[in-house]
Amino acid sequence: MSLIQNELVLAVFDIQTGTLLSGTGKIFDVGNGWYRLVATGSGTVSGAQTALVINTDSSGNNRLAASAGEIQLYSWGAQLEQGSFPTSYISTTTTAVTRSADNLVSPIPSPPSEGSIFALGSTSYIPGTDAKPLASVDDNTANNALQLRILNNSGNIGYGTVLAGAPLSHNISSYTAGSHTKVSVGYKTNSTNASVNGTLDSLNTSVSIPTFSKLRIGASNISNSKINGWIEKVSLRSEERRVGKE
């Protein structure tokens, strides 16, 4: 199967094995036999651009679904947008649509002084100027926060805290763009630990945990930073819980 723009094959996918065979793209298994296919490339002509999804062989050659030995498939949610990486799905009808960035913020009625925060997600874009959070908690300011994030420039993943405006970073492991990652932090002042995909960090006995009242998913109040990616699960527990291998 191929994603094609103006007769230029951008990417070829094997939707039986869920793999990218050639080109510049990514494939994500979203369950029940469905995949999200992403391809990026530059237009070869000026003016109108045409994007197609075509059933092909492994070399990108067109194959008719009615031919002997071929199969039919369903496609849904096609989206063409300008940029080097995809955004989340934007529902449209007959005209182009723009919308604000996804921004989910939940109040925390009884802020816990110790507990755990967990996030499962991925991004195809390694940030170059600021940290991109999977999840964060804060006091509705940029001065006090705890965030699970992918660090700027280096592509390291871990957690960071800000207390009275003073930031502190804790890198645990490197991150590969597009990979699904689990990050969890068991927090308590002077007794905090974390793990990334089962890699356990060392116990931090000199960290201060700020008081917080907001939970942000895929975003942080620090520099108003947001992640361009997929957040599959976030949980915040108020009881004391040390982090094991997720």
mmCIF file of all heavy atoms in Angstrom, residues 1 14-16 54-56 63-74:
data_model
loop_
_atom_site.group_PDB
_atom_site.id
_atom_site.type_symbol
_atom_site.label_atom_id
_atom_site.label_comp_id
_atom_site.label_asym_id
_atom_site.label_seq_id
_atom_site.Cartn_x
_atom_site.Cartn_y
_atom_site.Cartn_z
ATOM 1 N N MET A 1 0.845 -1.189 0.000
ATOM 2 C CA MET A 1 0.000 0.000 0.000
ATOM 3 C C MET A 1 0.881 1.240 0.000
ATOM 4 O O MET A 1 1.896 1.277 0.701
ATOM 5 C CB MET A 1 -0.910 -0.007 1.228
ATOM 6 C CG MET A 1 -1.852 1.171 1.315
ATOM 7 S SD MET A 1 -2.929 1.040 2.759
ATOM 8 C CE MET A 1 -3.897 2.519 2.525
ATOM 9 N N ASP A 14 3.574 -2.073 4.396
ATOM 10 C CA ASP A 14 3.017 -3.414 4.448
ATOM 11 C C ASP A 14 2.012 -3.434 5.583
ATOM 12 O O ASP A 14 2.389 -3.410 6.761
ATOM 13 C CB ASP A 14 4.120 -4.448 4.705
ATOM 14 C CG ASP A 14 3.607 -5.888 4.612
ATOM 15 O OD1 ASP A 14 2.417 -6.110 4.905
ATOM 16 O OD2 ASP A 14 4.398 -6.776 4.246
ATOM 17 N N ILE A 15 0.701 -3.428 5.254
ATOM 18 C CA ILE A 15 -0.319 -3.347 6.298
ATOM 19 C C ILE A 15 -0.674 -4.714 6.859
ATOM 20 O O ILE A 15 -1.576 -4.822 7.701
ATOM 21 C CB ILE A 15 -1.587 -2.627 5.786
ATOM 22 C CG1 ILE A 15 -2.140 -3.309 4.536
ATOM 23 C CG2 ILE A 15 -1.296 -1.163 5.502
ATOM 24 C CD1 ILE A 15 -3.460 -2.720 4.081
ATOM 25 N N GLN A 16 0.003 -5.747 6.410
ATOM 26 C CA GLN A 16 -0.158 -7.060 7.039
ATOM 27 C C GLN A 16 0.821 -7.223 8.206
ATOM 28 O O GLN A 16 0.499 -7.830 9.221
ATOM 29 C CB GLN A 16 0.051 -8.169 6.013
ATOM 30 C CG GLN A 16 -1.071 -8.242 4.968
ATOM 31 C CD GLN A 16 -0.881 -9.375 3.992
ATOM 32 O OE1 GLN A 16 0.193 -9.529 3.413
ATOM 33 N NE2 GLN A 16 -1.922 -10.169 3.794
ATOM 34 N N ILE A 54 -3.205 4.183 -2.533
ATOM 35 C CA ILE A 54 -3.386 3.187 -3.592
ATOM 36 C C ILE A 54 -2.861 1.835 -3.128
ATOM 37 O O ILE A 54 -1.798 1.743 -2.493
ATOM 38 C CB ILE A 54 -2.664 3.613 -4.887
ATOM 39 C CG1 ILE A 54 -3.291 4.903 -5.432
ATOM 40 C CG2 ILE A 54 -2.727 2.515 -5.933
ATOM 41 C CD1 ILE A 54 -2.639 5.400 -6.695
ATOM 42 N N ASN A 55 -3.602 0.792 -3.438
ATOM 43 C CA ASN A 55 -3.164 -0.566 -3.155
ATOM 44 C C ASN A 55 -2.051 -0.924 -4.136
ATOM 45 O O ASN A 55 -2.247 -0.923 -5.355
ATOM 46 C CB ASN A 55 -4.341 -1.528 -3.301
ATOM 47 C CG ASN A 55 -4.079 -2.877 -2.670
ATOM 48 O OD1 ASN A 55 -3.296 -2.971 -1.728
ATOM 49 N ND2 ASN A 55 -4.723 -3.899 -3.170
ATOM 50 N N THR A 56 -0.853 -1.193 -3.633
ATOM 51 C CA THR A 56 0.299 -1.434 -4.489
ATOM 52 C C THR A 56 1.050 -2.683 -4.036
ATOM 53 O O THR A 56 0.751 -3.282 -2.998
ATOM 54 C CB THR A 56 1.278 -0.247 -4.438
ATOM 55 O OG1 THR A 56 1.876 -0.193 -3.145
ATOM 56 C CG2 THR A 56 0.584 1.070 -4.735
ATOM 57 N N ARG A 63 -1.694 -1.893 -8.079
ATOM 58 C CA ARG A 63 -2.331 -3.198 -8.234
ATOM 59 C C ARG A 63 -3.824 -3.016 -8.081
ATOM 60 O O ARG A 63 -4.299 -2.397 -7.120
ATOM 61 C CB ARG A 63 -1.825 -4.179 -7.166
ATOM 62 C CG ARG A 63 -0.319 -4.383 -7.185
ATOM 63 C CD ARG A 63 0.137 -5.126 -8.426
ATOM 64 N NE ARG A 63 -0.344 -6.476 -8.448
ATOM 65 C CZ ARG A 63 0.274 -7.516 -7.877
ATOM 66 N NH1 ARG A 63 1.389 -7.314 -7.195
ATOM 67 N NH2 ARG A 63 -0.211 -8.731 -7.971
ATOM 68 N N LEU A 64 -4.612 -3.537 -9.006
ATOM 69 C CA LEU A 64 -6.059 -3.417 -8.951
ATOM 70 C C LEU A 64 -6.612 -4.358 -7.888
ATOM 71 O O LEU A 64 -6.268 -5.537 -7.834
ATOM 72 C CB LEU A 64 -6.681 -3.740 -10.308
ATOM 73 C CG LEU A 64 -6.309 -2.786 -11.453
ATOM 74 C CD1 LEU A 64 -6.922 -3.273 -12.757
ATOM 75 C CD2 LEU A 64 -6.775 -1.380 -11.157
ATOM 76 N N ALA A 65 -7.526 -3.843 -7.044
ATOM 77 C CA ALA A 65 -8.082 -4.657 -5.970
ATOM 78 C C ALA A 65 -8.904 -5.817 -6.512
ATOM 79 O O ALA A 65 -9.082 -6.830 -5.849
ATOM 80 C CB ALA A 65 -8.942 -3.786 -5.056
ATOM 81 N N ALA A 66 -9.420 -5.680 -7.744
ATOM 82 C CA ALA A 66 -10.248 -6.733 -8.328
ATOM 83 C C ALA A 66 -9.420 -7.838 -8.973
ATOM 84 O O ALA A 66 -9.954 -8.857 -9.407
ATOM 85 C CB ALA A 66 -11.194 -6.129 -9.362
ATOM 86 N N SER A 67 -8.114 -7.637 -9.066
ATOM 87 C CA SER A 67 -7.258 -8.636 -9.694
ATOM 88 C C SER A 67 -7.165 -9.888 -8.839
ATOM 89 O O SER A 67 -7.370 -9.860 -7.628
ATOM 90 C CB SER A 67 -5.857 -8.065 -9.927
ATOM 91 O OG SER A 67 -5.921 -6.921 -10.750
ATOM 92 N N ALA A 68 -6.839 -10.984 -9.487
ATOM 93 C CA ALA A 68 -6.716 -12.260 -8.786
ATOM 94 C C ALA A 68 -5.635 -12.163 -7.718
ATOM 95 O O ALA A 68 -4.541 -11.670 -7.963
ATOM 96 C CB ALA A 68 -6.380 -13.367 -9.773
ATOM 97 N N GLY A 69 -5.961 -12.626 -6.529
ATOM 98 C CA GLY A 69 -4.981 -12.649 -5.456
ATOM 99 C C GLY A 69 -4.853 -11.354 -4.687
ATOM 100 O O GLY A 69 -4.090 -11.292 -3.724
ATOM 101 N N GLU A 70 -5.578 -10.302 -5.097
ATOM 102 C CA GLU A 70 -5.486 -9.023 -4.394
ATOM 103 C C GLU A 70 -6.609 -8.902 -3.367
ATOM 104 O O GLU A 70 -7.584 -9.644 -3.400
ATOM 105 C CB GLU A 70 -5.560 -7.859 -5.387
ATOM 106 C CG GLU A 70 -4.431 -7.831 -6.393
ATOM 107 C CD GLU A 70 -3.074 -7.722 -5.727
ATOM 108 O OE1 GLU A 70 -2.972 -7.013 -4.707
ATOM 109 O OE2 GLU A 70 -2.144 -8.365 -6.190
ATOM 110 N N ILE A 71 -6.468 -8.002 -2.442
ATOM 111 C CA ILE A 71 -7.471 -7.797 -1.401
ATOM 112 C C ILE A 71 -7.973 -6.360 -1.441
ATOM 113 O O ILE A 71 -7.327 -5.479 -1.991
ATOM 114 C CB ILE A 71 -6.893 -8.095 -0.007
ATOM 115 C CG1 ILE A 71 -5.716 -7.145 0.288
ATOM 116 C CG2 ILE A 71 -6.479 -9.545 0.122
ATOM 117 C CD1 ILE A 71 -5.199 -7.269 1.709
ATOM 118 N N GLN A 72 -9.150 -6.154 -0.882
ATOM 119 C CA GLN A 72 -9.696 -4.816 -0.755
ATOM 120 C C GLN A 72 -9.415 -4.286 0.648
ATOM 121 O O GLN A 72 -9.136 -5.053 1.573
ATOM 122 C CB GLN A 72 -11.198 -4.824 -1.027
ATOM 123 C CG GLN A 72 -11.534 -5.189 -2.482
ATOM 124 C CD GLN A 72 -13.019 -5.127 -2.755
ATOM 125 O OE1 GLN A 72 -13.829 -5.050 -1.842
ATOM 126 N NE2 GLN A 72 -13.377 -5.143 -4.020
ATOM 127 N N LEU A 73 -9.490 -2.976 0.817
ATOM 128 C CA LEU A 73 -9.207 -2.373 2.115
ATOM 129 C C LEU A 73 -10.086 -1.154 2.334
ATOM 130 O O LEU A 73 -10.680 -0.621 1.395
ATOM 131 C CB LEU A 73 -7.727 -1.995 2.219
ATOM 132 C CG LEU A 73 -7.133 -1.099 1.119
ATOM 133 C CD1 LEU A 73 -7.355 0.380 1.439
ATOM 134 C CD2 LEU A 73 -5.642 -1.370 0.965
ATOM 135 N N TYR A 74 -10.185 -0.754 3.587
ATOM 136 C CA TYR A 74 -10.915 0.449 3.963
ATOM 137 C C TYR A 74 -9.922 1.558 4.304
ATOM 138 O O TYR A 74 -8.871 1.298 4.893
ATOM 139 C CB TYR A 74 -11.805 0.191 5.184
ATOM 140 C CG TYR A 74 -12.931 -0.788 4.960
ATOM 141 C CD1 TYR A 74 -12.810 -2.111 5.367
ATOM 142 C CD2 TYR A 74 -14.121 -0.388 4.352
ATOM 143 C CE1 TYR A 74 -13.849 -3.024 5.179
ATOM 144 C CE2 TYR A 74 -15.154 -1.276 4.154
ATOM 145 C CZ TYR A 74 -15.014 -2.600 4.569
ATOM 146 O OH TYR A 74 -16.036 -3.483 4.379
#
